Amino acid sequence: QIYGDKFSSCGSMGNDASTEAGVSQPKNEAASAVAEDVRSEIEGGAGNSGIRLFLNVYDLDPTSAGFNNWGLKYNNMGLFHTGVEVLDQEYYFGWGDSTFSGVRSNRPRSHGVHFYRETVDMGFSPLTEDEIDDVIQEFWEAWPELDYHPIHRNCTFFSQQLLAALQAPEPFPEWTHGAAAWGKPEWLRPAADYGW
């Protein structure tokens, strides 16, 4: 299930590193309204057990948002950033030039650079809070920022892997890989690496 279909600014432009865990993010009224709608729907549900998982999707900037709306999304050519929301935090993978972890977090739907677009409900994880913390710690150690690659090891690939590790029951929305997926064939890898 998808919530929202509009983009809105989620804070001031800046370096991804500014959204690391523990750094507060600017409040966004549109994103907050969507979050409240989602929370109300969850709380109204019955018979569910486990911890809820969401995939939050962002347009990279206003220009890419226009192209995504124009039709790139529906042709699997969109340009998106994604983060996994679990236990009231949103985790994503970002680039850097060090061996420190590239796993970062921010308040859900409040990335400091990209523009919130929509939320995809990924169902309930059967893991406990402690088990989820262990998974996130494993990813923290296994995803150094220096390993980021815009085609082969990016934020959408990270989100897909993290949701799988959290045992999300819903299938990952492949459209979020967008244009990056077109560069995945091995015969295109040299060109992608050269450009990066």
Side-chain angles (χ1 to χ4, degrees):
Q1 192 168 12
I2 297 175
Y3 303 89
D5 198 24
K6 298 179 180 177
F7 71 93
S8 54
S9 175
C10 287
S12 59
M13 300 299 288
N15 189 312
D16 271 0
S18 68
T19 54
E20 291 183 21
V23 178
S24 62
Q25 296 297 304
K27 184 176 176 70
N28 178 273
E29 298 301 329
S32 297
V34 172
E36 289 306 314
D37 289 345
V38 172
R39 295 284 177 257
S40 297
E41 184 168 324
I42 293 168
E43 291 168 4
N48 295 319
S49 62
I51 295 171
R52 198 64 172 260
L53 303 171
F54 295 104
L55 179 71
N56 293 326
V57 184
Y58 298 80
D59 294 303
L60 300 184
D61 54 38
T63 301
S64 68
F67 284 117
N68 289 336
N69 291 336
W70 182 65
L72 290 184
K73 172 185 174 182
Y74 304 104
N75 292 297
N76 292 325
M77 289 291 291
L79 300 169
F80 302 107
H81 168 79
T82 60
V84 174
E85 180 181 345
V86 59
L87 298 174
D88 297 320
Q89 280 292 310
E90 179 178 310
Y91 297 92
Y92 68 96
F93 183 54
W95 176 83
D97 58 4
S98 78
T99 56
F100 292 119
S101 179
V103 178
R104 299 173 180 147
S105 68
N106 51 248
R107 285 200 330 253
R109 304 170 183 86
S110 301
H111 193 279
V113 175
H114 302 304
F115 289 64
Y116 175 73
R117 181 182 186 89
E118 61 194 68
T119 294
V120 182
D121 182 355
M122 300 303 293
F124 290 85
S125 172
L127 303 181
T128 65
E129 288 192 26
D130 286 343
E131 289 171 331
I132 287 174
D133 287 342
D134 289 343
V135 168
I136 292 169
Q137 183 62 39
E138 289 172 12
F139 273 68
W140 187 273
E141 295 169 2
W143 289 74
E145 61 182 17
L146 195 59
D147 283 357
Y148 183 94
H149 188 283
I151 304 296
H152 302 286
R153 195 172 169 86
N154 58 29
C155 61
T156 59
F157 182 69
F158 169 83
S159 294
Q160 185 172 25
Q161 295 296 305
L162 180 56
L163 285 165
L166 295 174
Q167 301 179 33
E170 298 298 326
F172 188 83
E174 293 291 334
W175 59 265
T176 62
H177 291 303
W182 290 85
K184 287 209 180 273
E186 282 303 312
W187 62 274
L188 280 176
R189 188 176 190 112
D193 290 343
Y194 178 78
W196 176 239

